[in-house]
Amino acid sequence: MFDKMSDSWKPRIENFKITMKILLKSPASAIGLIIVLVYFIIALLDQVDPYILGITTNVNTLIPNYVNTAPQPPSWLTNPWDFSLPFGTTYPGINLYDGIIKAIRIDIAFSLFVVVSGAIIGIVLGVFSAFYGGWFDEIIMRLTDIFFSIPYLVLVIALGVFLGRSLEILSIGLIILWWPIYARVVRGQALSIKEQTYVEAARASGVKNSRIIFRHILPNTMAPIFVQFSFDLATIVLALATLYFIGFAPSNSWLPELGFLSSIGYEYAIVGDWWTIVFPGFALMIFALGMNLLGDGLRDALDPRLRR
Amino acid sequence: MGNTLIVGRGLKKFFEIKTGLFSRKRLNVKAVDGVDITINKGEVVGLVGESGCGKTTLGRLILRLIEPTDGELYYNPSEEILEKIKNGEKISQDELKKYSIFHMGKNDVRELRRHMQIVFQDPYSSLDPRYLIKDIIAEPLRSFGWDSKDAYSRVEELLKSVGLGPEFMNKFPHELSGGQRQRVAIARALALKPEFVVLDEPTSALDVSVQAQVLNLLDDLRKELDLTMLFISHHILVVRHIADRIMVMYLGKIVEIAETKEIFKNPLHPYTQALLSAVPVPDPKTKRMKIHLEGEVPSPVNPPKGCSFHTRCKFAFEKCGWTANELVEYLRLVMDPTRNEELKGNILDEIEIVSDTELIMRFKELENPGNIRGVIDKEKINNNIRAFYGIMGIEASGKEVKIKLYEPKVPELKNVGNNHFVACFLH
Ligand SMILES: Nc1ncnc2c1ncn2[C@@H]1O[C@H](COP(=O)(O)OP(=O)(O)OP(=O)(O)O)[C@@H](O)[C@H]1O
Ligand code: SF4
Ligand SMILES: [Mg+2]
């Protein structure tokens, strides 16, 4: 019996290997994959045990040091072997290494939450929309039209003004805005998959609609979803950073967040303390770059025309 | 229990299509346009006809994989129902709900899937690319409640019976050749031990060398499992050995039905004769064999009036359903005095189509009205312009010549003896 199990996994593993092979063939997507892996590992380690990363405080806030608030340059600038402050500090005495590592975890978690929730809502609505058509489809599509026409910053700010500026409200605002793209992508795919003969063959085999939708149509629409997903993980991190940067942050916060750190650093960077913006800024940029390179690579690797 | 497994009456399927991107006008593709079909237990019926004539649509209709536009279809009808159908008696709504596949509830139709199965035309699109072969074949079993262990051992059995080893269980469809895929599709169709199987051109997408193997396999399975089949093919020779009876289809209608031997010995419909004399030629695009008949297949959106084959029929005559618009171009051509000297002095101005059966030629000058009839008859014979057979009368008055045509009538399927049915005015 055990043998049988491993037998049916073999071809699936084979398939995964092919995906990886195509993905790694392009240096750009290989770099993207490595960047993304590094960020996720950092976030994971910080979650599991921050001491591994040399972080001694286990709290979800930035820790100011009011004794010495002025930004201090990275320690290795004065002594090449001193890594006690690898990224220096920013106002008010915040250890940037500490802050950035925590911020990476928080940003990724926030982004994952928003994108996964949006994707699930969008995928389910999109696939039902395509399968059943009619008035349901019509309503969903008009809704997506409406959401597409609202600039996300405007809606999030409006929500913040009326409902209060907390991280929860921010995430709800972004989810409301992010499901329509998934509904559209899945619907488009599902409309063509639904006409495939294998769907008709399933019906001829007596398979019920729910199983046809979730076991035949949905899995075959997933490739462009993965691509969209990786782009959006970056976009949401950037969106959150933008909101913090323009000062529309949840009001109470010393939350570790890359946009917030950059916005603090901004004032000091223009008077010469470059590290206050370069390190958080680069951490943000490289993450977005990595996600986008990976997304592009996935688009090729999952394209059925390029797989044999 | 009677001997009749499937009875369909007045089957119709029209597909609605939009004409243009912005146009609101809808047109109907008359894919199946009034078909009666009867299939007896244990019989293999061949359904042949050119590409696009509605064979697949008819097959899907019989399994109710698409919703019918009209008609009734009975699976395993009782003697009582058969009697009523035969005598043209009205069948009550309650009886329809109970016995007609087109009126049954969703669950009853699903229950029938145990007994009626289909093998699709294209084995490259009929297998879900994300499923392992064993799960593809097990799917009908699972959906009728088999557990995995039993299902997989049945799958192994089925693979063996279609000539594939157990090593295929854990492969994906893309690892298989076309012939192997079609064997998998056959195994899936046979999984639930159905009584009736529609085979929709099961070999037309395969290489020529593999076609014979798959055909032989089907022939063996049929004998072994005592299957009733509807075997669809665009090539009549493919079904010759397997079919007991052959139905010939043209533009959504059945034009001839007879036993296989009879139809090869004594083909009556001109279309059947054309199919029989056509030699398959390789299609350079698909590298498969295709039959090619003279003339173009008319559009099923707007099929020709009368006998829909009359635009291509070598024997078409008066009654075959010619309409005024089919004559216009020919008339313009032959009314030219430089082509036919007899018409010197006649200068044609315009031709107006009054109705399907009437048109008027208006002349600027008309000096020789008396010669028009003669010229038309001469051209009809010499140049084989069959459309001119449709002319019933010619009347000249002033500078106008009125041409009347025969009323188009549709030929009915008629029994000419020997259970040989044909829809053609010649018989
Ligand atoms: N879903 C559909 N929507 C619109 N038109 C359709 C649809 N399915 C089939 N048709 C049209 O109906 C007609 C009959 O199609 P069908 O597939 O039944 O022909 P066929 O005899 O099986 O041809 P082939 O040998 O090419 O398989 C064709 O003109 C086709 O274009
Ligand atoms: S009725 Fe017979 S002869 Fe006339 S067009 Fe049709 S097939 Fe030809
Ligand atoms: Mg077909």
Side-chain angles (χ1 to χ4, degrees), chain B residues 15 17 29 31 50-57 60 121 201 234 300:
Chain B
F15 292 106
I17 50 168
V29 180
E50 276 162 296
S51 186
C53 72
K55 306 180 297 295
T56 299
T57 308
R60 293 161 82 202
Q121 200 160 355
E201 311 209 31
H234 63 263

Side-chain angles (χ1 to χ4, degrees), chain A residues 1 4 7-9 11-12 15 18 195-209 211 215-217 219-223 308, chain B residues 60 65-66 106 110 113 116-118 120 122 125-132 134-135 139-140 142-144 156 170-172 174-175 188 192:
Chain A
M1 203 58 223
K4 285 237 159 102
D7 272 356
S8 51
W9 277 103
R12 294 196 167 99
N15 253 3
I18 294 170
E195 298 301 324
Q196 296 288 318
T197 323
Y198 58 78
V199 171
E200 197 176 359
R203 185 166 306 119
S205 301
V207 180
K208 293 189 175 134
N209 279 349
R211 197 180 146 88
R215 301 301 298 276
H216 287 285
I217 298 180
N220 282 297
T221 62
M222 281 297 114
R308 75 184 70 206
Chain B
R60 293 161 82 202
L65 288 171
I66 45 177
K106 233 167 65 182
R110 200 179 88 88
R113 308 261 185 251
M116 305 171 83
Q117 280 293 323
I118 181 165
F120 291 96
D122 180 7
S125 67
S126 71
L127 309 180
D128 190 330
R130 297 189 166 269
Y131 273 52
L132 292 173
K134 64 176 177 192
D135 293 319
E139 184 145 56
R142 286 225 174 89
S143 67
F144 284 100
E156 245 185 283
N170 291 308
K171 288 193 181 200
F172 278 111
H174 65 72
E175 300 174 66
R188 169 175 61 191
L192 291 163

Side-chain angles (χ1 to χ4, degrees), chain A residues 95-108:
Chain A
N95 181 338
L96 267 178
Y97 174 76
D98 209 281
I100 287 174
I101 297 285
K102 283 180 185 164
I104 286 175
R105 171 171 56 84
I106 297 229
D107 274 334
I108 288 183

Side-chain angles (χ1 to χ4, degrees), chain A residues 23-59:
Chain A
L23 192 63
L24 296 178
K25 227 195 280 174
S26 126
S29 36
I31 292 170
L33 182 66
I34 292 168
I35 293 174
V36 169
L37 279 177
V38 168
Y39 271 80
F40 273 79
I41 288 170
I42 290 174
L44 213 65
L45 286 178
D46 187 45
Q47 176 67 35
V48 176
D49 186 2
Y51 297 97
I52 299 173
L53 297 167
I55 292 167
T56 47
T57 51
N58 200 358
V59 282

Side-chain angles (χ1 to χ4, degrees), chain B residues 119-121 123 178-186 201-202 206 214:
Chain B
V119 175
F120 291 96
Q121 200 160 355
Q180 290 167 338
R181 281 167 182 243
Q182 202 56 300
R183 284 167 194 264
V184 169
I186 293 169
E201 311 209 31
L206 307 179
V214 173

Side-chain angles (χ1 to χ4, degrees), chain A residues 195, chain B residues 13-17 28-32 47-60 66 121 200-201 204 232-234 249 251-252 290 298-301:
Chain A
E195 298 301 324
Chain B
K13 177 67 192 183
F14 297 171
F15 292 106
E16 214 178 51
I17 50 168
N28 279 328
V29 180
K30 295 175 180 155
V32 174
L47 178 65
V48 301
E50 276 162 296
S51 186
C53 72
K55 306 180 297 295
T56 299
T57 308
L58 181 56
R60 293 161 82 202
I66 45 177
Q121 200 160 355
D200 187 6
E201 311 209 31
S204 71
I232 298 173
S233 172
H234 63 263
M249 192 167 185
L251 278 182
K290 267 219 128 151
S299 150
V301 174

